[in-house]
Amino acid sequence: MHIAILTFEGYNELDSLIALGVLNRIKTDDWRVTIATPSPKVTSMNGVTIEQMSPLEEACAADAVIVGSGIATREVIEDQAIMRVLRGLDPSRQLIAAQCSGALVLAKLGLLNDIPACTDLTTKPWVIAAGVEVLNQPFYAKDNIATAGGCLASHYLAAWIIARLEGNDAAEGALHYVAPVGEKEEYIERAWHNITPYLPAPTPALV
């Protein structure tokens, strides 16, 4: 199982690295989480340089993808080489999630047609201009596409992906690990409040 976090030049550390940390709470042999970049190294909006773990082309074949956010997303959607690769993303066979300005990438790829989105307040007018309704909430998902707005909503995307791929118990365990001490139950309850409405209905047990 491969989960790729698309991370571009000028990336927001909270968006890419919180999701990376939460997703890596799953400790099974077939679980792999990578930072997928268009170049061997990318530097964050605050000067943190990280190395590529997988290329964008490999991300297009991943089981799940998070499109990360950053200060240069509008440059990303104007980069024909990057967007040509990302047109390989396919919600019919992948879970596709976007954090904050990552929603603008999904909009430009045509993946949010008739699907409202969550994003950060800075990106909101650009996503609206791209023809997408923006919701005043931290998380929304429809079928295999999810979006989150606000850096500290990144754990919602991670938990949604874990719940979809490994089940609710695994997602709750990951959230419990990262939640503040003394607030774990409250933290998990809030997460489920935001995520549960957008998870598939449980399959009835066979009698």
Side-chain angles (χ1 to χ4, degrees), residues 146-167:
T147 52
C151 302
L152 296 182
S154 55
H155 67 290
Y156 294 154
L157 290 183
W160 176 77
I161 287 174
I162 295 171
R164 291 291 307 273
L165 298 179
E166 291 289 315

Side-chain angles (χ1 to χ4, degrees), residues 97-117:
Q99 176 67 39
C100 289
S101 65
L104 184 59
V105 176
L106 297 192
K108 291 298 185 178
L109 290 171
L111 296 178
L112 294 179
N113 293 339
D114 301 320
I115 300 177

Side-chain angles (χ1 to χ4, degrees), residues 26-195:
I26 303 302
K27 303 297 184 183
T28 58
D29 292 340
D30 65 343
W31 188 266
R32 175 178 172 237
V33 185
T34 65
I35 296 292
T37 64
S39 57
K41 295 181 180 181
V42 292
T43 300
S44 77
M45 59 194 294
N46 294 306
V48 179
T49 299
I50 57 176
E51 295 186 356
Q52 180 186 74
M53 297 172 68
S54 64
L56 296 184
E57 290 82 359
E58 188 174 328
C60 290
D63 300 280
V65 176
I66 294 177
V67 183
S69 183
I71 60 173
T73 304
R74 286 187 293 176
E75 286 82 354
V76 169
I77 63 174
E78 296 299 328
D79 188 314
Q80 294 184 11
I82 290 176
M83 295 300 282
R84 188 179 306 115
V85 173
L86 296 187
R87 288 189 184 95
L89 296 175
D90 183 357
S92 72
R93 56 179 177 79
Q94 298 173 292
L95 299 179
I96 299 177
Q99 176 67 39
C100 289
S101 65
L104 184 59
V105 176
L106 297 192
K108 291 298 185 178
L109 290 171
L111 296 178
L112 294 179
N113 293 339
D114 301 320
I115 300 177
C118 301
T119 190
D120 62 278
L121 298 181
T122 299
T123 307
K124 179 179 178 178
W126 307 331
V127 175
I128 292 173
V132 176
E133 177 190 359
V134 174
L135 303 172
N136 184 33
Q137 60 190 62
F139 178 85
Y140 179 83
K142 182 178 180 182
D143 300 327
N144 287 345
I145 295 179
T147 52
C151 302
L152 296 182
S154 55
H155 67 290
Y156 294 154
L157 290 183
W160 176 77
I161 287 174
I162 295 171
R164 291 291 307 273
L165 298 179
E166 291 289 315
N168 290 4
D169 288 347
E172 184 163 328
L175 289 172
H176 189 274
Y177 182 89
V178 302
V181 172
E183 299 178 351
K184 291 185 181 294
E185 289 75 16
E186 176 186 355
Y187 193 90
I188 292 170
E189 182 180 356
R190 183 186 304 113
W192 283 130
H193 172 77
N194 286 292
I195 298 168

